[in-house]
Amino acid sequence: MSAPTAHCGSRLHTGSARSPVAKSQCGMRPQHETRGRRQTRLVATMRTDGKRRNMTSLDIDMGNTRTKWRLDRSVGALPSPQLPDLNVAPSRVRVATVLRNRDVLARTIADRYGVRPEFATTAHELAGVQCGYANPDRLGVDRWLAVVAAWRCCAGPAIVISVGTAATADFVDANGRHEGGHIAPGLRLLRVALDRETADVRAKGWIRPCTLPGTDTEAAVASGTFLMLLAFAEAAVKGFAARHGYGAEVFLTGGDADLLAERLSVPVRCEPHLVLDGLEIALP
């Protein structure tokens, strides 16, 4: 598969090489991110149609581990289920969450920001993408929104690989049909499983994964679990090509996306806010 051109404010990875951030062509993209509770005004680009997003809309992607948010030109991340402290009152709050207690979250958001939130849900069809699940309610809304955003971004076959608490791969063919996907444990869950279910394998602390053999237990666990994740992603990409006879644009998202992008053998686009992009499409 030939290297794609980076759009959507993405970072294009071709093997170990990395290209600079490209200009946005699929909506407004912040070029830097705030961490924790620090609030920073950020640079953003215009949509190609010259229209700006609602400047007072707070968008929230609340996952198992992190809460990502975007307001106007600022973005940030917090431990889930924390919410950002804002110095402006949003007139609208849009939410994508995999957490179950939605009523409690709705009350918390209403109390915090003075507006009742709108929650995105998985649909049979959205923006040209047909859901591959017989029961769309069973497909996590974060996976669904990421797939829809990827399809909107490249207007062609797409593979979305998310690497966070869980590792997921979802596929959209050239006709916009979502084929379904794969789900596996992410890096930290793999390490926790080894720690809990074995007598002598104890990986203390976090070591940046690599593909070289480890010379102690911690390094061996780090490299072994990373190789499993790498094989998961490579097999997903090769499987799509084998099924269809053509390749697809590969999108990476999630907290460990950068680690994976450095080692994959195919060109990829790192899109850290893919779920938030899909939220804009689902709740315009």
Side-chain angles (χ1 to χ4, degrees):
M1 183 171 62
S2 61
T5 302
H7 300 299
C8 301
S10 64
R11 285 167 293 165
L12 172 64
H13 291 258
T14 53
S16 59
R18 183 176 299 180
S19 72
V21 176
K23 289 185 178 180
S24 169
Q25 294 195 8
C26 292
M28 188 176 291
R29 294 290 182 275
Q31 294 178 330
H32 302 282
E33 180 173 331
T34 62
R35 295 291 181 183
R37 293 184 175 272
R38 182 169 59 89
Q39 311 291 322
T40 305
R41 299 296 293 176
L42 306 175
V43 178
T45 56
M46 291 286 291
R47 296 180 187 271
T48 53
D49 59 7
K51 298 178 181 178
R52 285 188 179 274
R53 186 175 59 241
N54 183 345
M55 291 303 181
T56 58
S57 176
L58 172 62
D59 294 336
I60 297 172
D61 167 20
M62 186 172 288
N64 292 300
T65 304
R66 292 200 303 168
T67 297
K68 292 184 179 181
W69 59 271
R70 179 162 63 197
L71 175 71
D72 189 7
R73 302 179 184 184
S74 296
V75 293
L78 296 163
S80 182
Q82 292 184 26
L83 295 169
D85 291 329
L86 305 175
N87 55 13
V88 295
S91 60
R92 187 181 186 193
V93 179
R94 299 180 288 199
V95 182
T97 183
V98 297
L99 304 184
R100 294 179 179 178
N101 205 337
R102 186 176 295 183
D103 290 340
V104 172
L105 178 58
R107 289 195 296 270
T108 302
I109 290 174
D111 291 343
R112 174 73 67 90
Y113 305 119
V115 59
R116 189 158 185 83
E118 305 166 54
F119 288 91
T121 58
T122 305
H124 285 284
E125 189 276 337
L126 177 63
V129 180
Q130 301 87 47
C131 182
Y133 274 30
N135 181 0
D137 290 339
R138 297 286 294 166
L139 176 64
V141 69
D142 54 343
R143 290 171 58 197
W144 172 242
L145 295 179
V147 162
V148 169
W151 169 261
R152 169 71 64 86
C153 199
C154 69
I159 300 171
V160 178
I161 299 174
S162 177
V163 279
T165 304
T168 63
D170 283 276
F171 311 91
V172 184
D173 68 16
N175 298 313
R177 183 178 65 90
H178 172 235
E179 294 186 306
H182 307 306
I183 304 175
L187 281 177
R188 287 164 181 79
L189 282 183
L190 288 170
R191 298 183 69 178
V192 167
L194 280 172
D195 186 68
R196 289 181 178 176
E197 302 299 329
T198 61
D200 298 321
V201 180
R202 294 289 183 268
K204 299 178 181 178
W206 173 255
I207 297 177
R208 184 176 177 83
C210 70
T211 55
L212 296 175
T215 55
D216 55 41
T217 299
E218 287 77 13
V221 169
S223 62
T225 52
F226 181 65
L227 284 172
M228 291 183 69
L229 188 63
L230 188 61
F232 171 87
E234 294 277 6
V237 174
K238 292 177 181 177
F240 183 93
R243 289 193 301 274
H244 295 283
Y246 56 80
E249 193 137 17
V250 181
F251 293 78
L252 284 185
T253 191
D256 292 324
D258 281 344
L259 294 175
L260 202 60
E262 294 170 358
R263 295 291 182 176
L264 280 173
S265 63
V266 296
V268 298
R269 293 164 59 155
C270 282
E271 292 281 357
H273 306 296
L274 206 55
V275 175
L276 293 175
D277 297 340
L279 190 57
E280 288 188 2
I281 299 170
L283 298 173

